[in-house]
Amino acid sequence: MTEIISTELSSQDLFVDAVYGGSRKGNYSDDPLPALLSVDNGAGFRCLGSPRTEVDTLKLLVLQTDFSNLDWPDELDIENGLFTYYGDKRGPGDLHDTKRDGNKILRSIFEYCHGKPSPTTAFPPILLFGKTGTYRDTRFLGLAVPGAKGMSSDEDLTAIWRTSAEGVRFQNYRATFTILNVPVVSRSWIRDAQNGLALTSPHAPKPWLDWINKRKYDRLVAERTVGIRSTKDQTDLSTDEQSVISSIYNRFKDSPTRFESLAADLVSIAMPNAHNIEITRPWRDGGRDATGKYRICQGASGIDVDFAMEAKCYAINNGVGVKEISRLISRLRHRQFGVLVTTSYLANQAYKELKSDEHPVVVLSASDIAKLLLKKLGHPSDIQRWLEQNH
């Protein structure tokens, strides 16, 4: 059980993945961030400094997400130390005309990111938090800076198109942040930052100063362990996710060959560099395979890696076992990898054998498929329409 820090918040250091809690009154007073960092209890960006949108006048930026908006799926990539955040323009109009100036702030900090590094121009610490779903408790995700190593100004902040419920097109920002390798943000530095002294403070973290002065990205990366996902991990679905998987299963349960075609499309969505995916001939057991290529790097220096795909349209309580995964593994040639696509899950014993023998197989289970399609296509009704039009 996660320990919740809720006492003397104004004097607490910030520990990565620690949970900070407020009262239990069921209203705005439950929000711990005002006491923790002297910011307001609004949504999105919370700022210290005036005017709000000028980088050199901002003292501190706090950004909190709840990870629950399917239309705007903020995402934390803990393995690579990256955070994807969507701006606060949620309807037609000027991209930068938002209630709390969030998109103007995004524009300002990313312009600073791609400007010439300056050891004298002030820049605010950006503190990321994620709601836990319990009252207004929040988890500290890390100290962030805009951009990422290898990403250009055309890539780390992009204006993307969406369609409103009324069918009107509009734009919003998608931003990429790097979470720095700073496990603890000290209260001493926070106090200095609140006084506008973040850059000159003796308590400023070295990775943050390295980014300010040299645009060096020292990421906080956390490699996963063996990676054996439980049945629950693969099948624990929200209401919308259940609807997606049910639609797929009911549509393809009696037509495994048609499901192969859908599985190939799912691989293309999950792995954008996959190409030349071809459905192969039926096998004796009635199933069908597909083969394809995955492009690594682009241009003349790029190479293609072959892969084989196995697809199983199973009821969500009927797992893929050792026999099925062995079938896929047996078809992998030297320097190939495999992809298993299933509307259910890979059973525990099969998963253990897959990982212990270090077989290069990607597993797309029910949970993966549902999240992938909801992120890519929107609501379950949109996914149903896509299935009808394409499969």
Side-chain angles (χ1 to χ4, degrees), residues 33-42 46-48 60-62 194:
L33 289 175
L36 189 65
L37 294 165
S38 299
V39 294
D40 61 30
N41 55 12
R46 309 188 195 186
C47 312
L48 284 180
L60 190 71
L61 284 178
V62 175
Q194 290 170 331

Side-chain angles (χ1 to χ4, degrees), residues 153 183 185 193 195 369:
S153 58
V185 174
N195 290 318
I369 292 171

Side-chain angles (χ1 to χ4, degrees), residues 4 19-20 64-66 130-139:
I4 300 173
V19 174
Y20 298 85
Q64 181 176 236
T65 180
D66 59 12
K131 295 181 180 179
T132 67
T134 301
Y135 286 90
R136 295 178 183 267
D137 295 352
T138 190
R139 186 184 305 276

Side-chain angles (χ1 to χ4, degrees), residues 13 38 41 43-44 106 132 170 178 238 279 337 367 380:
D13 294 334
S38 299
N41 55 12
L106 284 174
T132 67
F170 65 97
T178 294
S238 68
I279 307 298
F337 68 95
S367 177

Side-chain angles (χ1 to χ4, degrees), residues 8-12 14 20 31-42 45-50 52 59-63 100 127 129 138 187 189-196:
E8 299 181 354
L9 291 176
S10 62
S11 63
Q12 296 287 347
L14 298 181
Y20 298 85
D31 189 346
L33 289 175
L36 189 65
L37 294 165
S38 299
V39 294
D40 61 30
N41 55 12
F45 274 118
R46 309 188 195 186
C47 312
L48 284 180
S50 180
R52 292 169 53 91
K59 299 176 182 178
L60 190 71
L61 284 178
V62 175
L63 179 57
R100 297 176 61 84
L127 305 173
F129 290 85
T138 190
R187 177 55 55 174
W189 187 48
I190 293 173
R191 290 196 182 101
D192 287 343
Q194 290 170 331
N195 290 318

Side-chain angles (χ1 to χ4, degrees), residues 66 140-141 175 190 201 224 269 279 289 296:
D66 59 12
F140 179 54
L141 305 179
I190 293 173
S201 170
R224 294 189 184 274
I269 296 172
I279 307 298
D289 287 325
I296 300 176

Side-chain angles (χ1 to χ4, degrees), residues 294-305:
Y294 184 83
R295 187 70 172 172
I296 300 176
C297 200
Q298 301 298 321
S301 62
I303 61 171
D304 287 326
V305 178

Side-chain angles (χ1 to χ4, degrees), residues 77 147 174 187 198 232 255 262 332 353 361 367:
D77 180 354
R174 179 176 60 210
R187 177 55 55 174
K232 182 178 180 181
S255 183
L262 172 63
L332 298 181
E353 293 187 15
V361 176
S367 177

